[in-house]
Amino acid sequence: MTALGDPFDGLWPDVERELPEHALTAIAERAQEADRAGAPARESLDLLRSLDWPGQPVPEKFRGGGAGLVRCCAMQRALGAADPALAVALNMHLFSVGLMVEHWRRRTDTSWLLMEAIATQNRLLASAFAEPNLGGSTTRSLLRAQEVEGGWRVSGTKRPCSLAAEADLVCLQLQAEAEPGDPQEVLVVLLPTTAPGMRVVRDWDAMGMRGSGSNTLVLEDCFIPDELVFHRAPAGSGDDDVFAAGTIWFALTSTACYLGLSQAALRHAGDLLGRSRIAHLDSPRAGLPSYQAVVGEHVAALLTLEAACADTARRMEQGAAPERLVDTALAVKQRALRVVPEAVGALAEVCGGAAYSRSGPLERLWRDAQAIRFHPPTPVATRQYLARRALGLPAGLDLDESAPGLAGGASGTTGR
């Protein structure tokens, strides 16, 4: 029988123009050292800047690359196959710029000036949406911003924050101070990382995704000018169209990073299985049906996930209302946190002890794959949201233990 080639061909557009093969090879060669150092490789970031990668999602009319969600996912998949930790770190840039693009499309305000600056100056963004004790919510913040003349003042901690020490700008959400009983409002802002009152604590020492540089960002009496607030929404709102669109961008592009990681694991496992022999059977492992069955089972799961991710991205890009697509995008992400770690673990297992050695890449890829479980919205909140939507109960992206079907609902939630 004639081989048909890569079964994953055709699911994604070619991104050779944005990420040439020589660039991906150079990035991949630095991944192991970035893992040891616990920080992104500066050379890889500089290389991506030289390729105008930071401005890719910015519309062409604002001097960006004009890449839509599908192409951005394809780029993240390619980067994930080269250096998963770098891809995840850069995904926070992509998510923030995608959020800005979606905001501008719906509000058509002066936020285009920020996007144009990112594209023309190749500025890298960190996304500081995660906070301790927030439970993975992105539509709330424990940092209270006090309104002052010309802007806002805020103090607090954001952790983990990928690229915190390497980025030029940081995108973060804050919650405006309000009188008791008044509506709570979230502000989404963009600040230079050199802003007075902002500093980075280099405390990232995780098991996997070590090369993402996800350190702690501390704000101490930090001033935020009004003109750098580019979006405002009710805190905890499930109805905000921009937050919904941003959730879709993050769910799909982050899934694409891990799909790239899976492809790298499959490639390295294939090489090991082809070289590793079972002596008494006089055959490489790759030639034995028992090993082929394990690989085939997980290729099937990965192909299904890839197809779902690509199709959902295309629907979003073709104009589907984000409020109607959030469920699907979150379901894709939720499925990925089972499929990807299981696939990488199974591939490492069939390769035997060689896969457990730190001298090879499968050990690092296995560690990196575990991080998929911790990206917001968290799995617990996502399961609850999807269940309540399916059951016709009030649902929001924040974890809610109020049993709304019995108590009449909680503030900040939305039904079908």
Side-chain angles (χ1 to χ4, degrees):
M1 181 179 292
T2 302
L4 296 178
D6 184 356
F8 297 88
D9 278 353
L11 288 175
W12 298 102
D14 181 77
V15 292
E16 171 71 20
R17 177 173 59 86
E18 294 89 350
L19 294 170
E21 187 61 35
H22 70 85
L24 292 173
T25 299
I27 288 170
E29 289 172 349
R30 300 186 186 105
Q32 191 75 9
E33 179 54 35
D35 179 75
R36 284 193 290 266
R42 283 280 183 179
E43 298 88 347
S44 294
L45 294 174
D46 290 343
L47 176 57
L48 289 168
R49 280 191 172 101
S50 74
L51 295 170
D52 295 327
W53 183 89
Q56 285 298 327
V58 175
E60 291 179 349
K61 68 187 298 181
F62 303 133
R63 302 173 66 183
L69 181 54
V70 174
R71 187 163 290 276
C72 285
C73 284
M75 288 190 293
Q76 290 304 92
R77 183 178 180 273
L79 281 172
D83 183 347
L86 181 67
V88 162
L90 291 169
N91 203 65
M92 309 313 165
H93 167 97
L94 206 60
F95 155 68
S96 291
V97 179
L99 185 70
M100 296 173 71
V101 170
E102 297 294 344
H103 168 90
W104 177 82
R105 284 175 178 162
R106 288 160 176 78
R107 307 295 189 267
T108 58
D109 56 13
T110 58
S111 60
W112 66 268
L113 291 166
L114 300 174
M115 292 190 290
E116 186 175 77
I118 291 167
T120 57
Q121 300 169 27
N122 271 318
R123 300 297 189 188
L124 278 175
L125 271 66
S127 290
F129 280 73
E131 298 175 22
N133 304 315
L134 199 57
S137 173
T138 57
T139 59
R140 295 182 186 275
S141 175
L142 299 178
L143 276 65
R144 295 296 183 260
Q146 179 184 12
E147 191 166 13
V148 296
E149 184 178 355
W152 305 80
R153 286 204 177 275
V154 65
S155 298
T157 299
K158 294 282 189 173
R159 184 176 67 236
C161 180
S162 300
L163 289 183
E166 293 80 16
D168 307 295
L169 303 163
V170 60
C171 180
L172 61 156
Q173 94 285 27
L174 314 162
Q175 203 155 309
E177 284 188 347
E179 296 296 327
D182 287 350
Q184 299 287 319
E185 188 178 41
V186 166
L187 315 176
V188 184
V189 310
L190 196 66
L191 276 177
T193 50
T194 55
M198 184 184 296
R199 61 186 174 90
V200 175
V201 179
R202 295 177 182 264
D203 55 1
W204 182 241
D205 189 21
M207 176 182 74
M209 291 296 179
R210 292 177 48 78
S212 66
S214 300
N215 291 297
T216 296
L217 190 70
V218 178
L219 293 88
E220 296 169 327
D221 197 28
C222 187
F223 175 68
I224 301 167
D226 278 328
E227 58 267 24
L228 296 184
V229 178
F230 71 87
H231 186 66
R232 303 173 73 141
S237 173
D239 294 320
D240 186 78
D241 55 345
V242 174
F243 271 133
T247 298
I248 293 167
W249 269 76
F250 182 78
L252 299 181
T253 54
S254 63
T255 296
C257 293
Y258 287 94
L259 288 171
L261 182 157
S262 301
Q263 295 310 302
L266 188 59
R267 183 176 66 253
H268 290 298
D271 179 61
L272 271 177
L273 292 171
R275 291 188 288 108
S276 174
R277 300 186 66 82
I278 303 296
H280 70 280
L281 296 176
D282 192 27
S283 173
R285 297 188 186 205
L288 298 174
S290 54
Y291 289 92
Q292 294 167 4
V294 174
V295 174
E297 176 185 358
H298 291 283
V299 166
L302 288 168
L303 274 168
T304 304
L305 181 63
E306 296 244 19
C309 185
D311 180 69
T312 307
R314 288 188 181 93
R315 288 168 59 193
M316 177 69 174
E317 198 168 295
Q318 290 167 0
E323 302 93 321
R324 298 180 63 85
L325 208 56
V326 168
D327 301 39
T328 306
L330 287 176
V332 168
K333 176 177 174 291
Q334 190 76 0
R335 185 61 182 152
L337 68 89
R338 296 285 176 259
V339 169
V340 171
E342 287 177 7
V344 178
L347 290 170
E349 183 180 327
V350 295
C351 287
Y356 203 58
S357 170
R358 294 196 65 140
S359 63
L362 274 175
E363 176 269 343
R364 171 173 52 85
L365 293 172
W366 183 89
R367 286 187 287 106
D368 285 351
Q370 309 313 308
I372 197 173
R373 308 173 194 273
F374 304 105
H375 297 296
T378 56
V380 172
T382 299
R383 287 196 297 267
Q384 181 184 74
Y385 172 82
L386 293 173
R388 288 186 176 180
R389 291 278 288 171
L391 296 171
L393 297 173
L397 292 176
D398 293 341
L399 185 63
D400 176 20
E401 296 293 319
S402 65
L406 299 176
S411 61
T413 61
T414 180
R416 273 192 182 275

Short mmCIF file of all heavy atoms in Angstrom, two decimals, residues 82-141:
data_model
loop_
_atom_site.label_atom_id
_atom_site.label_comp_id
_atom_site.label_asym_id
_atom_site.label_seq_id
_atom_site.Cartn_x
_atom_site.Cartn_y
_atom_site.Cartn_z
N ALA A 82 7.98 23.69 17.79
CA ALA A 82 9.39 24.06 17.90
C ALA A 82 9.81 24.26 19.35
O ALA A 82 10.83 23.73 19.81
CB ALA A 82 9.66 25.33 17.09
N ASP A 83 9.04 25.05 20.10
CA ASP A 83 9.34 25.34 21.50
C ASP A 83 8.02 25.62 22.20
O ASP A 83 7.53 26.76 22.18
CB ASP A 83 10.29 26.54 21.61
CG ASP A 83 10.68 26.85 23.05
OD1 ASP A 83 10.05 26.31 23.97
OD2 ASP A 83 11.62 27.64 23.25
N PRO A 84 7.40 24.62 22.82
CA PRO A 84 6.08 24.81 23.43
C PRO A 84 6.03 25.91 24.48
O PRO A 84 5.05 26.66 24.55
CB PRO A 84 5.78 23.44 24.07
CG PRO A 84 6.65 22.48 23.33
CD PRO A 84 7.88 23.23 22.95
N ALA A 85 7.08 26.04 25.30
CA ALA A 85 7.07 27.05 26.36
C ALA A 85 7.09 28.45 25.76
O ALA A 85 6.38 29.35 26.23
CB ALA A 85 8.25 26.86 27.29
N LEU A 86 7.88 28.65 24.71
CA LEU A 86 7.90 29.94 24.05
C LEU A 86 6.55 30.22 23.40
O LEU A 86 6.04 31.34 23.46
CB LEU A 86 9.01 29.98 23.00
CG LEU A 86 9.16 31.30 22.23
CD1 LEU A 86 9.63 32.41 23.16
CD2 LEU A 86 10.13 31.14 21.07
N ALA A 87 5.95 29.19 22.79
CA ALA A 87 4.65 29.36 22.15
C ALA A 87 3.58 29.78 23.16
O ALA A 87 2.76 30.67 22.89
CB ALA A 87 4.24 28.07 21.45
N VAL A 88 3.57 29.15 24.32
CA VAL A 88 2.59 29.49 25.35
C VAL A 88 2.81 30.91 25.85
O VAL A 88 1.86 31.67 26.07
CB VAL A 88 2.63 28.47 26.50
CG1 VAL A 88 1.97 29.01 27.75
CG2 VAL A 88 1.94 27.18 26.07
N ALA A 89 4.08 31.29 26.05
CA ALA A 89 4.36 32.66 26.48
C ALA A 89 3.88 33.66 25.44
O ALA A 89 3.21 34.65 25.77
CB ALA A 89 5.87 32.83 26.71
N LEU A 90 4.18 33.40 24.18
CA LEU A 90 3.77 34.31 23.11
C LEU A 90 2.27 34.28 22.87
O LEU A 90 1.70 35.22 22.31
CB LEU A 90 4.52 33.96 21.83
CG LEU A 90 6.03 34.25 21.86
CD1 LEU A 90 6.71 33.62 20.66
CD2 LEU A 90 6.28 35.75 21.88
N ASN A 91 1.63 33.20 23.31
CA ASN A 91 0.18 33.14 23.15
C ASN A 91 -0.51 34.22 23.96
O ASN A 91 -1.60 34.68 23.61
CB ASN A 91 -0.35 31.77 23.56
CG ASN A 91 -1.67 31.45 22.91
OD1 ASN A 91 -1.76 31.31 21.70
ND2 ASN A 91 -2.72 31.37 23.71
N MET A 92 0.12 34.64 25.04
CA MET A 92 -0.46 35.71 25.85
C MET A 92 -0.41 37.03 25.08
O MET A 92 -1.33 37.85 25.17
CB MET A 92 0.27 35.82 27.18
CG MET A 92 0.39 34.49 27.92
SD MET A 92 -1.17 33.56 28.00
CE MET A 92 -0.61 31.94 28.48
N HIS A 93 0.65 37.24 24.30
CA HIS A 93 0.70 38.40 23.39
C HIS A 93 -0.43 38.30 22.37
O HIS A 93 -1.18 39.26 22.14
CB HIS A 93 2.06 38.42 22.69
CG HIS A 93 2.12 39.36 21.52
ND1 HIS A 93 2.63 40.64 21.61
CD2 HIS A 93 1.72 39.21 20.22
CE1 HIS A 93 2.54 41.23 20.43
NE2 HIS A 93 2.00 40.38 19.56
N LEU A 94 -0.55 37.14 21.77
CA LEU A 94 -1.54 36.94 20.71
C LEU A 94 -2.96 37.14 21.24
O LEU A 94 -3.80 37.76 20.60
CB LEU A 94 -1.38 35.52 20.14
CG LEU A 94 -1.84 35.29 18.72
CD1 LEU A 94 -1.08 36.19 17.76
CD2 LEU A 94 -1.65 33.83 18.35
N PHE A 95 -3.22 36.61 22.42
CA PHE A 95 -4.53 36.77 23.04
C PHE A 95 -4.85 38.25 23.29
O PHE A 95 -5.95 38.73 22.99
CB PHE A 95 -4.58 35.98 24.35
CG PHE A 95 -5.58 36.49 25.34
CD1 PHE A 95 -6.94 36.40 25.11
CD2 PHE A 95 -5.14 37.07 26.53
CE1 PHE A 95 -7.85 36.88 26.05
CE2 PHE A 95 -6.05 37.54 27.47
CZ PHE A 95 -7.41 37.45 27.22
N SER A 96 -3.87 38.98 23.81
CA SER A 96 -4.11 40.39 24.12
C SER A 96 -4.35 41.21 22.86
O SER A 96 -5.25 42.05 22.80
CB SER A 96 -2.92 40.97 24.89
OG SER A 96 -2.84 40.42 26.18
N VAL A 97 -3.53 40.96 21.81
CA VAL A 97 -3.72 41.70 20.57
C VAL A 97 -5.04 41.28 19.92
O VAL A 97 -5.77 42.13 19.39
CB VAL A 97 -2.53 41.47 19.61
CG1 VAL A 97 -2.76 42.23 18.30
CG2 VAL A 97 -1.23 41.94 20.26
N GLY A 98 -5.36 40.00 19.97
CA GLY A 98 -6.65 39.55 19.45
C GLY A 98 -7.81 40.21 20.17
O GLY A 98 -8.81 40.60 19.55
N LEU A 99 -7.70 40.38 21.49
CA LEU A 99 -8.73 41.06 22.26
C LEU A 99 -8.87 42.51 21.81
O LEU A 99 -9.99 43.03 21.67
CB LEU A 99 -8.37 41.01 23.76
CG LEU A 99 -9.38 41.58 24.74
CD1 LEU A 99 -10.62 40.70 24.81
CD2 LEU A 99 -8.75 41.71 26.13
N MET A 100 -7.74 43.16 21.53
CA MET A 100 -7.78 44.54 21.07
C MET A 100 -8.42 44.64 19.69
O MET A 100 -9.21 45.56 19.42
CB MET A 100 -6.36 45.12 21.03
CG MET A 100 -5.70 45.21 22.39
SD MET A 100 -3.98 45.71 22.29
CE MET A 100 -4.19 47.41 21.82
N VAL A 101 -8.09 43.68 18.81
CA VAL A 101 -8.69 43.68 17.47
C VAL A 101 -10.19 43.52 17.56
O VAL A 101 -10.96 44.23 16.90
CB VAL A 101 -8.07 42.56 16.61
CG1 VAL A 101 -8.84 42.39 15.30
CG2 VAL A 101 -6.60 42.84 16.32
N GLU A 102 -10.63 42.57 18.39
CA GLU A 102 -12.07 42.33 18.53
C GLU A 102 -12.77 43.54 19.15
O GLU A 102 -13.90 43.88 18.77
CB GLU A 102 -12.32 41.08 19.37
CG GLU A 102 -11.77 39.80 18.76
CD GLU A 102 -12.47 39.39 17.47
OE1 GLU A 102 -13.58 39.91 17.20
OE2 GLU A 102 -11.92 38.55 16.74
N HIS A 103 -12.11 44.20 20.10
CA HIS A 103 -12.69 45.42 20.68
C HIS A 103 -12.85 46.49 19.61
O HIS A 103 -13.92 47.11 19.49
CB HIS A 103 -11.78 45.95 21.80
CG HIS A 103 -12.14 47.33 22.25
ND1 HIS A 103 -13.03 47.58 23.27
CD2 HIS A 103 -11.74 48.56 21.80
CE1 HIS A 103 -13.16 48.89 23.42
NE2 HIS A 103 -12.39 49.50 22.54
N TRP A 104 -11.80 46.72 18.82
CA TRP A 104 -11.87 47.77 17.80
C TRP A 104 -12.96 47.47 16.76
O TRP A 104 -13.68 48.37 16.33
CB TRP A 104 -10.52 47.93 17.10
CG TRP A 104 -10.60 48.94 16.01
CD1 TRP A 104 -10.52 50.30 16.13
CD2 TRP A 104 -10.85 48.67 14.62
NE1 TRP A 104 -10.70 50.89 14.91
CE2 TRP A 104 -10.90 49.92 13.96
CE3 TRP A 104 -11.02 47.51 13.89
CZ2 TRP A 104 -11.13 50.02 12.60
CZ3 TRP A 104 -11.24 47.61 12.53
CH2 TRP A 104 -11.30 48.85 11.89
N ARG A 105 -13.08 46.22 16.36
CA ARG A 105 -14.10 45.87 15.37
C ARG A 105 -15.51 46.17 15.86
O ARG A 105 -16.40 46.51 15.07
CB ARG A 105 -13.99 44.37 15.03
CG ARG A 105 -12.83 44.04 14.11
CD ARG A 105 -12.70 42.55 13.91
NE ARG A 105 -11.61 42.23 13.01
CZ ARG A 105 -11.04 41.03 12.92
NH1 ARG A 105 -11.47 40.04 13.68
NH2 ARG A 105 -10.05 40.83 12.05
N ARG A 106 -15.70 46.08 17.16
CA ARG A 106 -17.04 46.29 17.71
C ARG A 106 -17.26 47.71 18.20
O ARG A 106 -18.40 48.16 18.31
CB ARG A 106 -17.27 45.28 18.85
CG ARG A 106 -17.46 43.87 18.32
CD ARG A 106 -17.22 42.80 19.40
NE ARG A 106 -17.50 41.49 18.84
CZ ARG A 106 -16.66 40.82 18.04
NH1 ARG A 106 -15.49 41.34 17.74
NH2 ARG A 106 -17.00 39.64 17.56
N ARG A 107 -16.21 48.45 18.52
CA ARG A 107 -16.36 49.79 19.08
C ARG A 107 -15.84 50.88 18.12
O ARG A 107 -16.19 52.04 18.26
CB ARG A 107 -15.61 49.91 20.41
CG ARG A 107 -15.98 48.83 21.43
CD ARG A 107 -17.42 48.92 21.91
NE ARG A 107 -17.65 48.01 23.02
CZ ARG A 107 -18.11 46.77 22.92
NH1 ARG A 107 -18.40 46.28 21.70
NH2 ARG A 107 -18.29 46.01 23.98
N THR A 108 -14.96 50.50 17.19
CA THR A 108 -14.34 51.43 16.22
C THR A 108 -13.91 52.75 16.87
O THR A 108 -14.26 53.83 16.42
CB THR A 108 -15.28 51.70 15.02
OG1 THR A 108 -16.51 52.24 15.50
CG2 THR A 108 -15.52 50.44 14.22
N ASP A 109 -13.15 52.64 17.95
CA ASP A 109 -12.68 53.83 18.66
C ASP A 109 -11.18 54.03 18.37
O ASP A 109 -10.64 53.48 17.41
CB ASP A 109 -12.95 53.71 20.16
CG ASP A 109 -12.32 52.45 20.75
OD1 ASP A 109 -11.50 51.81 20.07
OD2 ASP A 109 -12.67 52.09 21.90
N THR A 110 -10.52 54.81 19.21
CA THR A 110 -9.10 55.14 18.96
C THR A 110 -8.14 54.05 19.41
O THR A 110 -6.93 54.25 19.38
CB THR A 110 -8.74 56.45 19.67
OG1 THR A 110 -9.00 56.33 21.07
CG2 THR A 110 -9.54 57.62 19.10
N SER A 111 -8.64 52.88 19.82
CA SER A 111 -7.75 51.80 20.23
C SER A 111 -6.86 51.32 19.08
O SER A 111 -5.85 50.65 19.30
CB SER A 111 -8.55 50.61 20.79
OG SER A 111 -9.44 50.10 19.82
N TRP A 112 -7.21 51.70 17.84
CA TRP A 112 -6.37 51.32 16.70
C TRP A 112 -4.97 51.92 16.82
O TRP A 112 -4.00 51.35 16.30
CB TRP A 112 -7.02 51.75 15.39
CG TRP A 112 -7.11 53.24 15.19
CD1 TRP A 112 -8.15 54.05 15.54
CD2 TRP A 112 -6.11 54.09 14.59
NE1 TRP A 112 -7.87 55.35 15.20
CE2 TRP A 112 -6.63 55.41 14.61
CE3 TRP A 112 -4.86 53.87 14.03
CZ2 TRP A 112 -5.93 56.49 14.10
CZ3 TRP A 112 -4.14 54.94 13.53
CH2 TRP A 112 -4.68 56.24 13.55
N LEU A 113 -4.85 53.03 17.53
CA LEU A 113 -3.53 53.65 17.71
C LEU A 113 -2.58 52.72 18.47
O LEU A 113 -1.39 52.63 18.17
CB LEU A 113 -3.67 54.97 18.46
CG LEU A 113 -4.36 56.11 17.70
CD1 LEU A 113 -4.75 57.23 18.65
CD2 LEU A 113 -3.46 56.62 16.59
N LEU A 114 -3.13 52.01 19.47
CA LEU A 114 -2.32 51.07 20.23
C LEU A 114 -1.89 49.90 19.35
O LEU A 114 -0.73 49.47 19.39
CB LEU A 114 -3.11 50.56 21.44
CG LEU A 114 -3.57 51.62 22.45
CD1 LEU A 114 -4.46 50.98 23.50
CD2 LEU A 114 -2.37 52.28 23.10
N MET A 115 -2.81 49.40 18.53
CA MET A 115 -2.48 48.29 17.64
C MET A 115 -1.43 48.69 16.62
O MET A 115 -0.51 47.92 16.31
CB MET A 115 -3.74 47.77 16.95
CG MET A 115 -4.72 47.08 17.88
SD MET A 115 -6.04 46.25 16.97
CE MET A 115 -6.96 47.65 16.33
N GLU A 116 -1.57 49.89 16.07
CA GLU A 116 -0.61 50.34 15.08
C GLU A 116 0.79 50.45 15.69
O GLU A 116 1.79 50.09 15.06
CB GLU A 116 -1.04 51.68 14.49
CG GLU A 116 -0.14 52.15 13.35
CD GLU A 116 -0.66 53.43 12.71
OE1 GLU A 116 -0.45 54.50 13.32
OE2 GLU A 116 -1.25 53.35 11.62
N ALA A 117 0.86 50.92 16.93
CA ALA A 117 2.16 51.03 17.60
C ALA A 117 2.78 49.65 17.81
O ALA A 117 3.99 49.46 17.63
CB ALA A 117 2.00 51.74 18.93
N ILE A 118 1.96 48.66 18.17
CA ILE A 118 2.46 47.30 18.35
C ILE A 118 3.03 46.76 17.05
O ILE A 118 4.12 46.17 17.01
CB ILE A 118 1.33 46.38 18.86
CG1 ILE A 118 0.97 46.76 20.30
CG2 ILE A 118 1.73 44.91 18.78
CD1 ILE A 118 -0.33 46.15 20.78
N ALA A 119 2.31 47.00 15.93
CA ALA A 119 2.72 46.46 14.64
C ALA A 119 3.96 47.16 14.10
O ALA A 119 4.89 46.51 13.60
CB ALA A 119 1.57 46.57 13.64
N THR A 120 3.99 48.47 14.18
CA THR A 120 5.09 49.22 13.56
C THR A 120 6.36 49.19 14.40
O THR A 120 7.46 49.32 13.86
CB THR A 120 4.68 50.68 13.31
OG1 THR A 120 4.29 51.29 14.55
CG2 THR A 120 3.53 50.76 12.31
N GLN A 121 6.22 48.99 15.71
CA GLN A 121 7.39 48.99 16.59
C GLN A 121 7.75 47.59 17.08
O GLN A 121 8.67 47.43 17.88
CB GLN A 121 7.12 49.91 17.79
CG GLN A 121 6.85 51.35 17.39
CD GLN A 121 6.34 52.19 18.56
OE1 GLN A 121 6.63 51.90 19.72
NE2 GLN A 121 5.57 53.22 18.27
N ASN A 122 7.02 46.58 16.59
CA ASN A 122 7.27 45.18 16.98
C ASN A 122 7.31 45.01 18.49
O ASN A 122 8.23 44.37 19.05
CB ASN A 122 8.57 44.68 16.35
CG ASN A 122 8.33 44.07 14.98
OD1 ASN A 122 7.36 43.33 14.78
ND2 ASN A 122 9.18 44.39 14.02
N ARG A 123 6.32 45.59 19.15
CA ARG A 123 6.24 45.50 20.60
C ARG A 123 5.65 44.16 21.03
O ARG A 123 4.65 43.70 20.48
CB ARG A 123 5.38 46.63 21.16
CG ARG A 123 5.90 48.02 20.83
CD ARG A 123 7.25 48.27 21.45
NE ARG A 123 7.67 49.65 21.35
CZ ARG A 123 8.88 50.09 21.68
NH1 ARG A 123 9.79 49.24 22.12
NH2 ARG A 123 9.19 51.35 21.55
N LEU A 124 6.26 43.55 22.04
CA LEU A 124 5.73 42.31 22.61
C LEU A 124 4.91 42.62 23.85
O LEU A 124 5.30 43.45 24.68
CB LEU A 124 6.88 41.36 22.98
CG LEU A 124 7.47 40.52 21.85
CD1 LEU A 124 8.67 39.73 22.37
CD2 LEU A 124 6.43 39.59 21.25
N LEU A 125 3.78 41.92 23.98
CA LEU A 125 2.88 42.12 25.10
C LEU A 125 2.92 40.93 26.05
O LEU A 125 2.98 39.77 25.62
CB LEU A 125 1.43 42.27 24.62
CG LEU A 125 0.93 43.66 24.27
CD1 LEU A 125 1.67 44.19 23.05
CD2 LEU A 125 -0.57 43.63 24.01
N ALA A 126 2.87 41.23 27.34
CA ALA A 126 2.58 40.22 28.35
C ALA A 126 1.10 40.38 28.74
O ALA A 126 0.56 41.49 28.68
CB ALA A 126 3.46 40.43 29.58
N SER A 127 0.46 39.30 29.10
CA SER A 127 -0.94 39.35 29.54
C SER A 127 -0.99 39.04 31.03
O SER A 127 -0.65 37.94 31.45
CB SER A 127 -1.79 38.34 28.77
OG SER A 127 -1.95 38.73 27.44
N ALA A 128 -1.41 40.02 31.82
CA ALA A 128 -1.48 39.85 33.27
C ALA A 128 -2.95 39.75 33.68
O ALA A 128 -3.50 40.66 34.28
CB ALA A 128 -0.79 41.01 33.97
N PHE A 129 -3.57 38.64 33.32
CA PHE A 129 -4.97 38.40 33.69
C PHE A 129 -5.08 37.46 34.88
O PHE A 129 -6.07 37.48 35.60
CB PHE A 129 -5.75 37.84 32.50
CG PHE A 129 -6.17 38.90 31.51
CD1 PHE A 129 -5.25 39.49 30.66
CD2 PHE A 129 -7.49 39.32 31.44
CE1 PHE A 129 -5.62 40.47 29.76
CE2 PHE A 129 -7.88 40.30 30.54
CZ PHE A 129 -6.94 40.87 29.70
N ALA A 130 -4.08 36.61 35.08
CA ALA A 130 -4.13 35.66 36.19
C ALA A 130 -3.75 36.35 37.50
O ALA A 130 -2.88 37.22 37.54
CB ALA A 130 -3.18 34.50 35.92
N GLU A 131 -4.43 35.94 38.58
CA GLU A 131 -4.15 36.47 39.91
C GLU A 131 -4.31 35.35 40.93
O GLU A 131 -5.14 34.46 40.74
CB GLU A 131 -5.12 37.60 40.27
CG GLU A 131 -5.07 38.82 39.39
CD GLU A 131 -6.16 39.82 39.76
OE1 GLU A 131 -6.65 39.79 40.91
OE2 GLU A 131 -6.53 40.64 38.90
N PRO A 132 -3.57 35.42 42.03
CA PRO A 132 -3.80 34.48 43.12
C PRO A 132 -5.22 34.64 43.68
O PRO A 132 -5.72 35.76 43.79
CB PRO A 132 -2.75 34.86 44.17
CG PRO A 132 -1.72 35.64 43.41
CD PRO A 132 -2.45 36.32 42.30
N ASN A 133 -5.86 33.54 43.98
CA ASN A 133 -7.19 33.51 44.62
C ASN A 133 -8.32 34.02 43.73
O ASN A 133 -9.40 34.32 44.22
CB ASN A 133 -7.18 34.33 45.92
CG ASN A 133 -6.11 33.86 46.89
OD1 ASN A 133 -5.96 32.67 47.11
ND2 ASN A 133 -5.36 34.80 47.45
N LEU A 134 -8.09 34.07 42.42
CA LEU A 134 -9.14 34.52 41.52
C LEU A 134 -9.89 33.33 40.90
O LEU A 134 -10.92 33.51 40.27
CB LEU A 134 -8.53 35.39 40.41
CG LEU A 134 -9.48 36.31 39.63
CD1 LEU A 134 -10.23 37.25 40.56
CD2 LEU A 134 -8.70 37.10 38.59
N GLY A 135 -9.34 32.13 41.08
CA GLY A 135 -10.02 30.94 40.57
C GLY A 135 -10.05 30.84 39.06
O GLY A 135 -10.89 30.15 38.49
N GLY A 136 -9.12 31.53 38.38
CA GLY A 136 -9.04 31.43 36.93
C GLY A 136 -9.98 32.35 36.18
O GLY A 136 -10.04 32.31 34.95
N SER A 137 -10.72 33.21 36.87
CA SER A 137 -11.63 34.13 36.18
C SER A 137 -10.84 35.19 35.43
O SER A 137 -9.82 35.69 35.91
CB SER A 137 -12.56 34.80 37.18
OG SER A 137 -13.32 35.81 36.55
N THR A 138 -11.31 35.56 34.23
CA THR A 138 -10.69 36.64 33.47
C THR A 138 -11.61 37.86 33.40
O THR A 138 -11.25 38.88 32.83
CB THR A 138 -10.35 36.19 32.05
OG1 THR A 138 -11.54 35.71 31.41
CG2 THR A 138 -9.30 35.10 32.08
N THR A 139 -12.82 37.74 33.96
CA THR A 139 -13.78 38.83 33.89
C THR A 139 -13.94 39.53 35.25
O THR A 139 -14.88 40.30 35.45
CB THR A 139 -15.16 38.33 33.42
OG1 THR A 139 -15.64 37.32 34.33
CG2 THR A 139 -15.05 37.73 32.03
N ARG A 140 -13.01 39.25 36.15
CA ARG A 140 -12.97 39.92 37.45
C ARG A 140 -11.52 40.21 37.78
O ARG A 140 -10.59 39.73 37.13
CB ARG A 140 -13.56 39.03 38.56
CG ARG A 140 -15.03 38.72 38.42
CD ARG A 140 -15.52 37.89 39.60
NE ARG A 140 -16.88 37.46 39.41
CZ ARG A 140 -17.95 38.18 39.72
NH1 ARG A 140 -17.79 39.39 40.25
NH2 ARG A 140 -19.17 37.72 39.51
N SER A 141 -11.32 41.00 38.84
CA SER A 141 -9.98 41.24 39.35
C SER A 141 -10.07 41.57 40.83
O SER A 141 -11.04 42.19 41.29
CB SER A 141 -9.31 42.40 38.61
OG SER A 141 -8.05 42.70 39.19
#
